[in-house]
């Protein structure tokens, strides 16, 4: 049985201007991942999120749950997730920037960059997040995912 990835990229447009605590600095859904055709390559899901991690990657983020301040659109999408959805987690663009993309799986043969970097199916998601971070700041852009 396959594992499907669901989720959204969110941003906080007002946070860069008014600060994270300002009432106009709420998170907003930017784009649904299915529009970016990221696929469900298990090596990428393993190194990013710890899902199906038979590869021995140290995941960047794993089972953090839904952010308490998630946008209404993301919360509604998550609530309509298929029965058995699991592994909800999130990471900011600043978290992705600070990752060691040359770190390898337990066999030492494949790097995080090879399986989930800009040249992978995740490239379009990284491009969107990079663009939003230029506008709103790296800590004000995040990816939220769950699996079914």
């Amino acid at each position: 049985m396959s594992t499907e990835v669901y989720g959204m990229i969110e941003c906080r447009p007002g946070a860069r201007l008014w600060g994270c605590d300002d009432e106009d600095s709420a998170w907003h859904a930017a784009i649904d991942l299915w529009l970016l055709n990221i696929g469900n390559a298990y090596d990428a899901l393993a190194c990013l999120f710890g899902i199906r991690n038979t590869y021995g990657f140290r995941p960047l983020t794993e089972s953090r749950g839904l952010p308490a301040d998630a946008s209404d659109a993301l919360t509604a999408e998550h609530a309509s997730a298929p029965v058995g959805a699991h592994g909800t987690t999130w990471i900011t663009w600043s978290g992705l920037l600070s990752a060691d993309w040359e770190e390898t799986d337990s066999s030492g043969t494949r790097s995080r960059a090879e399986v989930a970097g800009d040249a992978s199916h995740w490239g379009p998601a990284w491009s969107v997040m990079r663009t939003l971070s230029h506008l709103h700041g790296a800590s004000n852009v995040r990816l939220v995912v769950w699996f079914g």
Side-chain angles (χ1 to χ4, degrees):
M1 182 173 200
S2 69
T3 298
E4 299 297 324
V5 61
Y6 304 91
M8 290 184 170
I9 296 170
E10 294 184 301
C11 64
R12 268 191 304 205
R16 192 174 211 174
L17 299 173
W18 301 294
C20 295
D21 295 329
D22 188 86
E23 65 185 33
D24 292 326
S25 296
W27 288 94
H28 296 272
I31 191 167
D32 195 304
L33 286 181
W34 73 269
L35 292 171
L36 300 174
N37 195 31
I38 57 163
N40 65 346
Y42 294 151
D43 51 0
L45 299 183
C47 83
L48 296 171
F49 313 114
I51 298 297
R52 289 196 173 223
N53 195 3
T54 59
Y55 304 91
F57 277 105
R58 188 175 55 90
L60 294 180
T61 181
E62 187 174 18
S63 298
R64 288 176 137 176
L66 193 66
D69 56 356
S71 67
D72 292 342
L74 186 133
T75 303
E77 185 71 22
H78 187 265
S80 69
V83 174
H86 64 281
T88 303
T89 195
W90 57 272
I91 190 167
T92 62
W93 181 245
S94 60
L96 288 164
L97 288 175
S98 67
D100 179 359
W101 287 90
E102 296 310 312
E103 184 177 333
T104 61
D105 61 9
S106 60
S107 70
T109 58
R110 296 182 310 175
S111 72
R112 192 179 312 281
E114 289 174 302
V115 301
D118 282 331
S120 75
H121 286 289
W122 281 89
W126 306 152
S127 180
V128 168
M129 291 182 78
R130 186 177 297 111
T131 298
L132 289 171
S133 78
H134 288 307
L135 297 169
H136 308 298
S139 61
N140 297 313
V141 177
R142 70 181 171 202
L143 170 66
V144 183
V145 297
W146 57 93
F147 307 89

